[in-house]
Amino acid sequence: MDRPILVTEFEDMGMSISDDIIDECVIVCHTHKISASDLVGSWIAYCASSQIDSNDLNKERLATLVKSFKDDDKIKANDKKLIENKSNLNESAAPTQSVGSPSSLKVNGCLGPVVAAAYVVTQKRGERCARCSFVRRNNNDDDDDDDDDDDDGGGDDDDKITGREKKRSGAQGDGRPGQNSVAAVAQLYNTYGTNIIQIENEFKVSDVIDEDHIKEENEFSTTGDVTCSFGLENINKNDPSVCVEKLCLTKQELWDNYVFGQVNYQKFNDHVQELVNDIVQKNDLKLVTSLSGLYCGNNTDITISGSLRLIKNELFLDSLHGLLKIDLSDVEQPFESLFANQILVVTGTNPNTKVFRAKRFYTDASLPLSNKLPSFTEGNLKLMVAAGPFFTESSPHGKLLKSLVQKTVDLEAQLLILLGPMFDADFLVQLNKRTSEDIQQCYDEVLDSVLKPLFNNPGSQNIKVLMLSSWKDFENYSFYPTPPNQESTLLNLYPNNLYMLSDPSVFSVNDIIIAGNASDSLMGIHGSAIHNTKEDMFTRLAKHIKWQRCLHPSYVANPNVCVDHLQWVEHCTLQKNTPHIILTSSQLRTFIRVVEGCMVINVGQLLKHNSQKQTVSGTYGLIQIAASKDGSWSTQSNISAEIVHI
């Protein structure tokens, strides 16, 4: 790896690292065979979890990163040895096949028995929305037992097929487009058989439901510990539990006839202009000057607006009329925290055509809270919240989700919110299901077995369960925002109890407005943050979401996932009011923060893995909402929230 590549990676993330530390980083990359982007990404994640400045990289902290790389190297070495042993065992137990090496199976830079296909804008997870998409073979014939064995194959983690099988146009040999590519996939899949590796812990849906044949070696040593809490004194525990009387889902009907990939720049620009106008009005600023009409040569204060860009450690303001470089030398200190793609208004001077000398940044475009009181007048409304995946290869029975369901019954909660993904992608690949219909059936059977006790229990038979989709889920579309899974038969089984929602979603429960986001929006903001303030990091992140009136203000769900900007405007932005509660799931440490009347909660994940890939106890959220007192109600005085280890 060249040294300039590493320097560029740090600069692109807004970091300035000394030359001697860069030299040490180059050695680390070569020693552990990791890329520059992986090293920088690991460092950013370390800073996020430790709450330290990303520019403060020294030898001691680099040594901590190296230790984690060494642990990963040991795991990879053990996995490689296991693969070799299994390959030798397969070769001795079965006729020898002609198996290409992993490098010989590359197609457009990707490993495994796959073939590159054209970019399609309305693909499900098996037909990945990315620069290139991949499809698995289409099984139209009745496969015998030998074919079932083939499905267990793959390569290392990079070689595994995580896409969902879906019927494609032209796959039945009718001469329509797609026939040749699918046939080629089937031929390639059969030729390069799967005795390179076999998946451990092969299981079926019945095993997941019955729990008879699979052993989980998990230890949950922190069960019941409260990681953070807020307002415990706001709730009288002797008050009765309140049922969900009113449930209003917002904008879910827009998914009925949506078309992914549509472009409407005007709608996006209207949203930006609305934020800018509100910021100007709130702060009594001068009218905004368009960058195309910007004049220079004097010290007259000018107001401009746009979207912030960070390019090689330099700030630019982006608008319809191009980029303008921002000079921070005259900015009032300390200035508000900033992040890439933030919509904001800037005041300053324009002495020359090369740079705009900023004096102050304005970023608060927040909406007011709803002034409606909760519809119930006594008692407490109890909510349980958890984020997936709930079923993984190492935890196939969903024991933690079952524990959560039991706790929901015990605590008499009347609303259970599950943030996707429900299933880890690799989990469903191992169930040997052939078509998209079978995958959906598997999805429904497993969830039904877990949730049925909740609906059959007399004390919780009126409970409402809201399941937010996720682009990470095997069964959902791989783009963001992600539509709800309306193909599930659970909607017909429990029409009055269970609701499938998009990611993100806004809904109201007994006139309490709640927003949920299954994607990690907090990490996206934190990874591109520019700040010169000692304000608490989590308070700062919560402010960004509220002030930008957006549940995912960084625009990016993941570098490998398409973001539909028209759907982003429809479903990520807040239109009338700021929610009372915003729920999200992030890799950052769990927290509860109340910012200007809005409670932002990171519930973490219910199931986590440590560095040895062992399943460990995650966290869930318990929220209790009290009725209004003497005609007044607020999040500060009427809500109690806890983040608890399951």
Side-chain angles (χ1 to χ4, degrees):
M1 184 200 65
D2 294 333
R3 190 177 188 278
I5 296 177
L6 186 59
V7 174
T8 302
E9 285 289 340
F10 278 114
E11 289 181 348
D12 287 347
M13 297 305 296
M15 289 178 275
S16 179
I17 307 299
S18 61
D19 291 340
D20 58 332
I21 299 299
I22 291 290
D23 294 336
E24 295 288 340
C25 291
V26 172
I27 296 174
V28 169
C29 289
H30 280 292
T31 302
H32 298 278
K33 297 180 180 179
I34 61 175
S35 66
S37 59
D38 288 341
L39 177 66
V40 175
S42 299
W43 170 240
I44 291 175
Y46 176 82
C47 294
S49 61
S50 304
Q51 299 190 46
I52 60 176
D53 187 357
S54 58
N55 286 295
D56 192 14
L57 177 57
N58 53 39
K59 292 184 178 181
E60 290 76 18
R61 287 171 177 164
L62 185 60
T64 303
L65 285 181
V66 171
K67 184 178 179 181
S68 66
F69 296 147
K70 288 180 179 178
D71 292 338
D72 290 340
D73 290 343
K74 291 179 182 178
I75 294 173
K76 291 178 182 178
N78 292 335
D79 290 346
K80 183 177 180 182
K81 186 176 181 180
L82 179 62
I83 291 171
E84 291 174 352
N85 292 338
K86 289 189 173 185
S87 297
N88 295 335
L89 181 62
N90 291 337
E91 290 173 2
S92 62
T96 304
Q97 278 189 321
S98 174
V99 181
S101 64
S103 60
S104 66
L105 303 183
K106 288 188 178 181
V107 180
N108 285 8
C110 298
L111 293 173
V114 295
V115 64
Y119 180 89
V120 183
V121 295
T122 56
Q123 296 162 313
K124 285 206 172 181
R125 188 164 180 81
E127 303 163 292
R128 188 70 70 110
C129 274
R131 292 192 178 94
C132 61
S133 305
F134 308 106
V135 295
R136 294 182 64 181
R137 63 168 176 159
N138 187 32
N139 298 283
N140 299 316
D141 53 346
D142 295 330
D143 297 324
D144 54 23
D145 293 339
D146 292 335
D147 291 333
D148 288 341
D149 293 338
D150 286 347
D151 282 344
D152 293 337
D156 55 22
D157 290 340
D158 292 333
D159 301 337
K160 289 182 181 177
I161 302 174
T162 59
R164 117 178 200 177
E165 295 177 345
K166 182 179 178 183
K167 293 181 180 178
R168 291 177 60 86
S169 171
Q172 304 297 327
D174 56 1
R176 288 177 290 177
Q179 178 181 5
N180 294 335
S181 62
V182 173
V185 175
Q187 182 180 2
L188 183 61
Y189 198 94
N190 289 327
T191 302
Y192 298 109
T194 55
N195 54 357
I196 299 175
I197 181 175
Q198 290 185 345
I199 299 177
E200 275 191 279
N201 296 333
E202 181 182 343
F203 49 88
K204 302 177 182 178
V205 175
S206 59
D207 294 332
V208 177
I209 296 174
D210 299 334
E211 304 187 26
D212 291 333
H213 306 296
I214 306 176
K215 180 182 179 182
E216 291 186 90
E217 297 180 354
N218 304 326
E219 294 184 1
F220 310 113
S221 59
T222 55
T223 302
D225 290 351
V226 177
T227 65
C228 54
S229 62
F230 174 87
L232 300 181
E233 68 282 358
N234 294 338
I235 301 297
N236 184 351
K237 295 183 179 181
N238 296 324
D239 289 345
S241 182
V242 175
C243 293
V244 176
E245 301 168 349
K246 297 170 62 178
L247 177 62
C248 179
L249 309 179
T250 306
K251 296 186 177 180
Q252 297 303 301
E253 70 282 355
L254 298 179
W255 291 107
D256 292 342
N257 299 303
Y258 81 98
V259 177
F260 174 69
Q262 283 187 319
V263 178
N264 189 334
Y265 295 114
Q266 187 59 48
K267 195 162 189 175
F268 183 82
N269 292 333
D270 290 344
H271 166 70
V272 174
Q273 192 59 49
E274 183 180 355
L275 261 67
V276 169
N277 291 341
D278 286 353
I279 293 174
V280 170
Q281 185 176 355
K282 276 187 176 185
N283 296 279
D284 195 22
L285 301 176
K286 295 180 180 179
L287 293 177
V288 172
T289 301
S290 169
L291 295 189
S292 63
L294 199 61
Y295 54 89
C296 59
N298 55 44
N299 293 322
T300 303
D301 283 349
I302 303 171
T303 303
I304 59 176
S305 65
S307 181
L308 201 63
R309 297 285 184 266
L310 179 62
I311 304 175
K312 292 189 176 181
N313 213 24
E314 292 183 331
L315 282 180
F316 292 84
L317 200 64
D318 187 13
S319 76
L320 289 174
H321 305 286
L323 289 170
L324 178 63
K325 187 176 179 180
I326 302 295
D327 182 3
L328 303 179
S329 57
D330 293 341
V331 174
E332 297 179 9
Q333 302 293 335
F335 58 84
E336 291 288 352
S337 174
L338 308 174
F339 65 93
N341 295 325
Q342 185 177 20
I343 299 170
L344 75 170
V345 174
V346 188
T347 59
T349 60
N350 191 42
N352 56 62
T353 57
K354 295 181 179 180
V355 63
F356 184 88
R357 299 180 69 89
K359 290 185 177 180
R360 189 169 178 181
F361 295 98
Y362 299 87
T363 61
D364 184 2
S366 58
L367 294 168
L369 293 166
S370 172
N371 55 10
K372 292 183 67 175
L373 296 176
S375 59
F376 56 98
T377 57
E378 60 180 11
N380 300 327
L381 177 62
K382 294 182 180 180
L383 291 69
M384 301 281 282
V385 189
F390 305 109
F391 299 87
T392 67
E393 181 181 352
S394 61
S395 182
H397 298 316
K399 284 187 175 180
L400 294 180
L401 180 58
K402 293 177 182 178
S403 297
L404 180 72
V405 168
Q406 186 57 49
K407 284 194 173 292
T408 303
V409 173
D410 296 340
L411 294 172
E412 299 181 348
Q414 295 301 314
L415 180 63
L416 175 60
I417 302 172
L418 300 178
L419 306 178
M422 304 298 147
F423 294 87
D424 184 72
D426 291 339
F427 170 81
L428 280 177
V429 169
Q430 297 181 53
L431 292 178
N432 299 321
K433 295 296 179 177
R434 302 292 183 173
T435 65
S436 59
E437 289 80 9
D438 288 335
I439 292 288
Q440 182 66 61
Q441 182 181 355
C442 159
Y443 184 99
D444 292 340
E445 287 176 359
V446 174
L447 285 178
D448 184 32
S449 69
V450 176
L451 297 176
K452 185 179 292 184
L454 190 64
F455 302 133
N456 292 341
N457 187 287
S460 59
Q461 59 185 1
N462 294 322
I463 192 174
K464 308 297 182 185
V465 178
L466 308 183
M467 301 175 63
L468 273 68
S469 61
S470 169
W471 62 266
K472 297 179 183 179
D473 206 315
F474 193 89
E475 191 53 26
N476 287 328
Y477 289 89
S478 186
F479 60 81
Y480 185 84
T482 311
N485 180 11
Q486 297 293 354
E487 299 175 6
S488 175
T489 58
L490 298 178
L491 295 172
N492 297 324
L493 288 176
Y494 309 107
N496 298 320
N497 299 96
L498 191 141
Y499 303 85
M500 297 286 185
L501 276 63
S502 63
D503 176 32
S505 289
V506 179
F507 49 92
S508 66
V509 181
N510 293 358
D511 292 329
I512 305 297
I513 302 177
I514 303 174
N517 186 13
S519 185
D520 195 346
S521 61
L522 299 176
M523 185 64 81
I525 299 173
H526 181 70
S528 60
I530 310 155
H531 56 86
N532 187 29
T533 176
K534 294 182 179 180
E535 188 178 31
D536 171 65
M537 180 182 74
F538 298 128
T539 301
R540 190 168 63 244
L541 294 175
K543 277 185 178 180
H544 285 317
I545 293 177
K546 183 179 185 297
W547 288 3
Q548 290 285 285
R549 64 173 75 169
C550 179
L551 299 175
H552 205 119
S554 65
Y555 304 153
V556 181
N558 184 280
N560 299 320
V561 177
C562 301
V563 174
D564 188 311
H565 286 271
L566 182 58
Q567 300 298 333
W568 180 90
V569 173
E570 290 285 3
H571 297 279
C572 291
T573 60
L574 305 173
Q575 303 297 329
K576 296 181 179 179
N577 297 109
T578 296
H580 298 106
I581 303 172
I582 296 178
L583 305 171
T584 187
S585 172
S586 174
Q587 295 297 324
L588 296 174
R589 183 159 49 86
T590 56
F591 68 85
I592 303 170
R593 294 291 185 275
V594 176
V595 176
E596 300 170 1
C598 174
M599 178 177 287
V600 181
I601 304 176
N602 173 24
V603 298
Q605 290 82 37
L606 193 69
L607 186 152
K608 296 183 178 182
H609 295 88
N610 59 20
S611 58
Q612 284 74 40
K613 299 185 179 179
Q614 296 172 329
T615 302
V616 296
S617 167
T619 54
Y620 68 92
L622 171 60
I623 304 171
Q624 300 183 71
I625 305 174
S628 59
K629 299 174 183 177
D630 300 326
S632 65
W633 186 95
S634 69
T635 54
Q636 194 77 33
S637 59
N638 293 80
I639 295 183
S640 164
E642 297 176 86
I643 306 298
V644 188
H645 277 283
I646 188 66

